[in-house]
Amino acid sequence: MRCKVCGTEVKENQRFCPTCGLLIDLSFSPFQNIEVQPEPEKDEEPEFLKQQMLAQEEAESEEESLENLPLKKNVD
């Protein structure tokens, strides 16, 4: 078989012309059709939000504990 573009002799088992790269085997598709399934929705929050909320709660509890400390009076 010969390439329709450049005329190079192409073997029957080749999909592309070795000279110009023309697709010879039209049944060949370099892409696969894959049916993508959507991921099921999760009820829990993403990890970064959990960490952010935990850090905020810790900061608030630290502020509260500092507010409850007795104040020192400077005696000069």
Side-chain angles (χ1 to χ4, degrees), residues 56-66:
Q56 187 175 4
E57 289 172 2
E58 289 175 355
E60 288 173 359
S61 67
E62 275 186 37
E63 286 178 10
E64 289 174 3
S65 65
L66 289 176

Side-chain angles (χ1 to χ4, degrees), residues 1-12 17 22 24:
M1 170 183 352
R2 291 200 168 273
C3 175
K4 295 177 184 176
V5 173
C6 66
T8 302
E9 188 65 32
V10 180
K11 296 179 184 177
E12 292 294 323
C17 173
L22 178 71
I24 304 295

Side-chain angles (χ1 to χ4, degrees), residues 24-36:
I24 304 295
D25 182 3
L26 297 178
S27 66
F28 173 73
S29 174
F31 304 102
Q32 295 179 353
N33 292 333
I34 299 175
E35 196 168 313
V36 177

